[in-house]
Amino acid sequence: MSKSMKYAAAVLAGCVPAASAFAAWELNMPVGITELSREIHGLHMLIFWICVLIAVVVFGMMIYSIVKFRHSKGAVPANFDHSTKAEIIWTIIPIAILVGMAVPAAETLIKIEDMRDSELTIKVTGYQWKWHYDYLDKNVSFFSTLAEESNRARQKGSGIDPSTVQNYLLDVDNPLVVPVNKKVRVLLTAGDVIHAWWVPALGMKRDAIPGIVNEMWFRAEETGVYRGQCAELCGYDHGFMPIVVEVRTEEEFEAWLQSKQADGAETATAANSTDTSKTPVNGAASDATAIVAKAE
Amino acid sequence: MSTAHTHAHAAGHEAHDHHGPEKGWRRWLFATNHKDIGTMYLLFSLVMFFLGGAMALVIRAELFQPGLQLVDPGFFNTMTTVHALIMVFGAVMPATVGLANWMIPIQIGAPDMALPRMNNFSFWLLVAAFTLLISSLFVSGGGPAAGWTLYPPLVLQTGNALPLAIFAIHLAGASSIMGAINIIVTILNMRAPGMSLLKMPVFCWTWLITAYLLIAVMPVFAGAVTMLLTDRFFGTTFFEAAGGGDPVMYQHIFWFFGHPEVYIMILPAFGIISEIIPTFSRKPLFGYDAMVYATAAIAFLSFIVWAHHMFTVGMPLAGQLFFMMATMLIAVPTGVKVFNWTATMFKGSISFEPPMLFAIAFLFLFTIGGFSGLMLGVAPADFQYHDTYFVVAHFHYVLVPGAVFAIMGGVYYWLPKWTGHMYDMKLAKVHFWLSVIFVNVLFFPQHFLGLAGMPRRIPDYATQFADWNMVSSIGAFGFGLSQLLFVYIVFAAIRSGERASDKVWDTARPQGLEWTLSSPPPYHSFEVAPEVK
């Protein structure tokens, strides 16, 4: 269904390839790999088609009037200036359509806010300009920053063509790893300014706000690597703090978790020191690390 | 300009012996005449439109292709921030105030605005405000770069630009409030005998309602930025969790101002469109009363939907449901307006002079902005759209081919009345077609970018977004350059041109009082109130 819709949208827009492998000329929201993202995509398409339908009627009337009632064709103007019946009709019908849209939207919203029965909780903390992930009660935590290769290429006047860099600006040193088919609860907060954690394939975005703990959840249904970005303006390098989530099978995830745990306390130290060397130009990394040290 | 002056001067003499315009700079600095002040507002707005537009072109030039080529990320953020502040408070709002100054007195048959000296003060305060704002670009620490919404804690990292920007907002706000008071007092007290409120031109109605919105929300915004100021310099912690404050509270206060602000920019545009469409459809406006009530309904609803700008901050479920449904409700009165405009054209006799072209483009493109607005109002979907280019596309559709097109349509509609000259219609049509094509090349692809996952306010992007960004940037330069034509057309018409008749438009309509005056109208008009039947 959604593939054909995408294709239809592409044809409507008069554009060349619908969904190529590079996702270039992409026109629509991707479907995602969670129940919520599918429902949200469904809602998105539902409202889209309702809008298209209304547009056909309204724009159709406008175009009909423009073509049919031209002064240059000698059209003689009528003199009516209201019609109570018509006005009641075009007040009632939109209300009915809106109710029809609000019901499924409310149902999805209720699901989104249902945080019960989570199987893994990860605390995500936003810093200028990197993410910190903490697997609660698992003794695993680390920073995640823009990958070295992207970081070199994105410097002004670097002379490196971004198209030669794999996953330019969407790659990190340490991705977030989660198990497939498990309800993961994400707690969000920030150490300095407001950030927003967003991976489109997971279907959700929520703000990470200093002094406040927000929550959201997802259950990834397919293994793979999914990418996203900080979505709330957070200063100088807001454009350069991507998010990468690796969804693995449960066994692989457990093995990864154990190897991380084995690293023990060293993990944090190592992550911190690589951070400092990696964080670009502004030298804010050391401050951020200091804040973390205080917080912990 | 000389012909216009002598004519206005002569007419002024006939009407009143020694009250022509002052000579030289005193006429403008000490202006109390609503037409002079209106002209200054419009020219100020035009200058700001180009300044803000130049900043937009810096943004689009940097985004032409992936990688950082021209500016560093800090300056990029300053450009997005100051572009927005200038366009909102310096270009769109003053343009509608300029139109109000010019048109409201002569539409209601009043000799001038009720409070002419305050009128002068509110204009020059605006100049002071923008001098401050623009000077903030040159202080240590760089210009404001936290977005026009000025969210703390990020905005508190701003250097010396912060107090300058905040004082600029205070001054611009005071200017707006004074302008609003003036408009309300003028409309409520100075209508010609026989002009009951429900006989007023719709443009006056939309401005009356806008003025109440301004008085209601500008003080709220002033309060919010004052709290930022004390948080930054006087040790308060209104918005800092560590001191017992709450950064989200700022967003609630800001958007309580910010959403009505959206309607402050669009309601006068609705009024202009409601003037233009009947004229060139040669038919009365369909459903005048419904138009007025719909405007009032939109204004009321604008106070109870603010949190749809911040669905992602983590609100209680009940709050999200309320704000989602209240937001969707706005589609009803807005729909009524669009249907009524369409019904006005239906069975009319339509001709396509430049004002009508802009009005028709407004109908189509504002409606597209309305559709994307409806989509954004659906909270679960907003979790995907929020802070992406989809939002950028949405609000630019309602503000550029929405508000700005309406303002340009209004200028093309009333310019012959103001100057006494017809402008170059052919060239104005060229300007229209260039604008309408490029504005879509510029903003339509941004829907695709947002849906595909490109966040807003980023100076560089992943390579999969490269194609549409390039298209969008080409559109931006085309649109920006096309506006030079507008400047040429307007100034050429001020200087010379075919004489415009009093009615200007040969359509048996327009029927407002402004068309009973000469073109250009005398310097002092309606010294004896006209009778309205």
Side-chain angles (χ1 to χ4, degrees):
Chain A
M1 179 82 166
S2 66
K3 277 250 172 68
S4 68
M5 279 168 179
K6 241 189 223 177
Y7 183 70
V11 172
L12 276 177
C15 291
V16 229
S20 72
F22 318 104
W25 302 109
E26 186 60 81
L27 299 171
N28 202 358
M29 184 190 286
V31 180
I33 51 143
T34 65
E35 185 194 355
L36 291 183
S37 72
R38 276 196 306 274
E39 277 196 25
I40 289 172
H41 184 270
L43 273 175
H44 158 70
M45 291 317 294
L46 172 74
I47 323 160
F48 172 74
W49 285 113
I50 288 174
C51 288
V52 168
L53 208 70
I54 300 171
V56 167
V57 175
V58 176
F59 291 173
M61 278 310 290
M62 289 177 191
I63 292 167
Y64 177 77
S65 302
I66 291 167
V67 173
K68 186 84 196 289
F69 308 114
R70 296 174 88 99
H71 185 61
S72 59
K73 297 264 169 68
V76 180
N79 208 32
F80 62 87
D81 62 3
H82 72 284
S83 154
T84 312
K85 204 198 276 172
E87 289 172 90
I88 288 173
I89 290 173
W90 64 53
T91 308
I92 300 292
I93 292 180
I95 292 176
I97 295 174
L98 291 177
V99 171
M101 276 163 53
V103 171
E107 281 170 3
T108 303
L109 204 53
I110 289 165
K111 245 181 240 176
I112 286 172
E113 292 300 325
D114 181 3
M115 309 286 167
R116 289 169 299 177
D117 306 324
S118 64
E119 292 150 284
L120 174 70
T121 302
I122 300 169
K123 183 174 143 227
V124 176
T125 312
Y127 293 98
Q128 286 174 316
W129 292 275
K130 61 187 142 192
W131 297 98
H132 183 260
Y133 299 117
D134 186 355
Y135 291 70
L136 293 188
D137 304 324
K138 306 277 189 221
N139 224 0
V140 171
S141 71
F142 53 88
F143 278 97
S144 178
T145 51
L146 182 65
E148 192 60 46
E149 207 188 349
S150 286
N151 194 29
R152 267 197 307 272
R154 65 106 176 179
Q155 303 298 332
K156 198 167 112 191
S158 67
I160 303 170
D161 180 358
S163 63
T164 63
V165 179
Q166 222 184 353
N167 296 312
Y168 177 61
L169 298 186
L170 293 180
D171 210 2
V172 296
D173 50 1
N174 302 305
L176 182 71
V177 179
V178 296
V180 72
N181 289 325
K182 294 268 184 222
K183 184 166 183 175
V184 179
R185 181 160 156 258
V186 182
L187 300 179
L188 292 147
T189 188
D192 35 45
V193 301
I194 302 174
H195 305 264
W197 198 81
W198 180 38
V199 178
L202 302 180
M204 279 294 296
K205 115 168 24 85
R206 195 142 277 186
D207 292 356
I209 304 169
I212 290 175
V213 179
N214 265 332
E215 53 181 355
M216 60 178 258
W217 69 272
F218 63 86
R219 184 187 281 115
E221 292 163 13
E222 284 170 42
T223 55
V225 180
Y226 304 96
R227 298 169 197 280
Q229 283 176 271
C230 176
E232 177 68 50
L233 178 62
C234 59
Y236 194 90
D237 276 343
H238 162 56
F240 308 100
M241 47 184 292
I243 298 151
V244 177
V245 176
E246 270 187 46
V247 181
R248 297 190 186 173
T249 62
E250 205 182 338
E251 302 78 57
E252 282 173 346
F253 171 74
E254 288 301 334
W256 173 85
L257 201 63
Q258 272 164 23
S259 75
K260 279 283 183 188
Q261 281 162 341
D263 290 350
E266 286 159 55
T267 318
T269 339
N272 282 356
S273 66
T274 41
D275 276 333
T276 325
S277 66
K278 258 180 202 162
T279 306
V281 279
N282 286 294
S286 49
D287 299 9
T289 320
I291 294 164
V292 183
K294 252 187 257 163
E296 289 169 355
Chain B
M1 193 119 187
S2 61
T3 7
H5 278 189
T6 33
H7 188 89
H9 203 67
H13 268 283
E14 277 158 36
H16 202 294
D17 247 343
H18 32 254
H19 254 106
E22 291 251 22
K23 292 277 181 287
W25 58 271
R26 297 176 62 89
R27 171 176 179 183
W28 305 105
L29 187 62
F30 302 133
T32 51
N33 181 291
H34 73 98
K35 301 182 184 82
D36 286 350
I37 292 175
T39 303
M40 289 199 292
Y41 263 111
L42 287 168
L43 290 177
F44 176 82
S45 154
L46 191 61
V47 172
M48 287 297 139
F49 182 59
F50 275 88
L51 189 61
M55 291 175 179
L57 291 186
V58 172
I59 294 168
R60 284 313 326 170
E62 178 55 60
L63 294 175
F64 185 68
Q65 48 180 342
L68 279 179
Q69 291 86 19
L70 305 170
V71 296
D72 62 49
F75 189 71
F76 183 91
N77 290 343
T78 298
M79 287 293 101
T80 55
T81 304
V82 182
H83 158 75
L85 288 170
I86 285 182
M87 287 308 201
V88 170
F89 297 104
V92 174
M93 287 170 69
T96 60
V97 176
L99 291 170
N101 256 295
W102 249 105
M103 300 316 300
I104 288 175
I106 62 179
Q107 281 193 326
I108 63 171
D112 204 309
M113 295 294 282
L115 308 161
R117 288 198 171 77
M118 194 164 86
N119 207 5
N120 172 298
F121 189 41
S122 78
F123 172 75
W124 287 107
L125 216 49
L126 197 62
V127 177
F130 279 84
T131 310
L132 268 183
L133 181 68
I134 291 159
S135 65
S136 79
L137 291 172
F138 304 102
V139 298
S140 67
W148 83 283
T149 50
L150 307 172
Y151 281 4
L154 179 63
V155 75
L156 301 175
Q157 296 179 347
T158 314
N160 293 341
L162 185 66
L164 293 177
I166 287 174
F167 291 141
I169 288 167
H170 282 151
L171 292 184
S175 159
S176 293
I177 291 167
M178 282 192 277
I181 290 173
N182 209 348
I183 285 166
I184 292 173
V185 175
T186 305
I187 290 179
L188 293 186
N189 292 297
M190 295 176 69
R191 277 168 293 129
M195 183 177 279
S196 62
L197 281 176
L198 281 172
K199 276 188 188 166
M200 272 199 313
V202 183
F203 178 67
C204 297
W205 254 116
T206 54
W207 241 116
L208 181 64
I209 292 168
T210 303
Y212 278 104
L213 289 181
L214 275 167
I215 290 179
V217 300
M218 290 313 288
V220 176
F221 188 31
V225 294
T226 306
M227 287 191 266
L228 288 179
L229 194 72
T230 62
D231 267 12
R232 173 81 162 74
F233 293 103
F234 302 105
T236 59
T237 52
F238 291 113
F239 306 129
E240 200 190 318
D246 181 357
V248 177
M249 183 173 72
Y250 173 87
Q251 299 185 22
H252 282 292
I253 301 172
F254 177 87
W255 287 112
F256 183 81
F257 144 81
H259 198 78
E261 170 67 21
V262 172
Y263 294 101
I264 287 167
M265 290 189 278
I266 203 66
L267 292 185
F270 287 172
I272 298 165
I273 298 301
S274 300
E275 302 280 328
I276 294 174
I277 288 183
T279 296
F280 300 99
S281 302
R282 292 165 178 78
K283 200 165 146 277
L285 181 68
F286 185 91
Y288 172 97
D289 291 7
M291 287 302 231
V292 172
Y293 299 140
T295 309
I298 292 171
F300 169 73
L301 288 173
S302 77
F303 285 106
I304 56 164
V305 298
W306 76 88
H308 69 215
H309 294 270
M310 36 192 288
F311 277 135
T312 61
V313 296
M315 266 181 288
L317 178 62
Q320 295 183 49
L321 286 170
F322 170 78
F323 284 109
M324 174 174 82
M325 288 172 189
T327 301
M328 292 165 101
L329 215 50
I330 290 191
V332 176
T334 314
V336 166
K337 298 202 79 110
V338 173
F339 299 141
N340 282 14
W341 287 320
T342 310
T344 306
M345 297 200 299
F346 185 73
K347 293 200 172 169
S349 175
I350 304 169
S351 56
F352 301 91
E353 286 83 351
M356 187 61 170
L357 289 175
F358 275 96
I360 290 172
F362 172 96
L363 273 192
F364 281 90
L365 302 178
F366 175 81
T367 304
I368 289 178
F371 288 142
S372 56
L374 190 60
M375 297 171 79
L376 283 158
V378 177
D382 182 74
F383 293 138
Q384 286 282 26
Y385 308 140
H386 183 82
D387 264 329
T388 68
Y389 259 83
F390 191 77
V391 178
V392 178
H394 158 70
F395 67 71
H396 281 98
Y397 258 86
V398 291
L399 284 176
V400 184
V404 172
F405 271 27
I407 290 163
M408 285 178 171
V411 170
Y412 281 135
Y413 186 51
W414 286 309
L415 189 64
K417 171 56 66 185
W418 300 335
T419 62
H421 299 138
M422 286 312 289
Y423 47 87
D424 187 334
M425 293 278 223
K426 267 203 193 118
L427 216 50
K429 285 182 184 176
V430 173
H431 169 235
F432 167 76
W433 284 110
L434 287 174
S435 296
V436 80
I437 291 167
F438 280 122
V439 87
N440 285 295
V441 176
L442 164 55
F443 293 120
F444 210 82
Q446 296 183 359
H447 292 113
F448 306 143
L449 286 171
L451 293 176
M454 178 169 162
R456 63 192 281 211
R457 293 168 163 166
I458 55 173
D460 191 5
Y461 48 81
T463 47
Q464 78 230 38
F465 305 126
D467 303 300
W468 286 124
N469 267 301
M470 188 175 279
V471 172
S472 179
S473 289
I474 291 168
F477 278 86
F479 183 75
L481 293 176
S482 305
Q483 303 319 310
L484 294 172
L485 210 51
F486 178 68
V487 178
Y488 171 77
I489 293 164
V490 169
F491 281 89
I494 292 172
R495 240 188 233 120
S496 63
E498 201 186 309
R499 288 228 60 82
S501 68
D502 294 356
K503 273 267 188 192
V504 180
W505 305 107
D506 181 25
T507 64
R509 304 211 145 252
Q511 295 181 329
L513 284 175
E514 72 260 43
W515 311 104
T516 64
L517 295 169
S518 60
S519 302
Y523 194 59
H524 293 289
S525 38
F526 294 125
E527 290 189 322
V528 177
E531 195 75 38
V532 178
K533 274 163 239 140

